[in-house]
Amino acid sequence: MNTTTELIRKRNRELDLAHYALTAESRKKHREEVNRLNREIRRRVRQEVGNGGQREF
């Protein structure tokens, strides 16, 4: 299972790939993955805050 930090790193990598992608279809694919990772990161942060703010960093 990925930690929140690993998910953020993966999201940032996907953002870079989306930015430098040559085709619209490729940019769309990477942006969809970025959006999915953003949802997962937000879900985890809400869980951590609801769990007394303890983080897994």
Side-chain angles (χ1 to χ4, degrees), residues 8-57:
I8 291 169
R9 285 186 184 128
K10 185 174 180 180
R11 187 262 327 259
N12 290 342
R13 176 72 178 135
E14 287 294 327
L15 275 172
D16 286 343
L17 291 171
H19 181 73
Y20 291 107
L22 297 178
T23 65
E25 187 60 36
S26 182
R27 283 191 297 275
K28 180 181 176 189
K29 181 184 74 144
H30 290 299
R31 285 300 309 173
E32 287 171 352
E33 180 65 7
V34 167
N35 291 337
R36 186 190 70 74
L37 290 166
N38 280 339
R39 285 191 299 272
E40 176 66 16
I41 290 164
R42 283 193 297 270
R43 184 188 66 77
R44 284 177 180 239
V45 169
R46 279 194 304 270
Q47 257 182 348
E48 291 165 1
V49 169
N51 191 23
Q54 295 176 351
R55 305 195 76 162
E56 47 186 76
F57 292 107

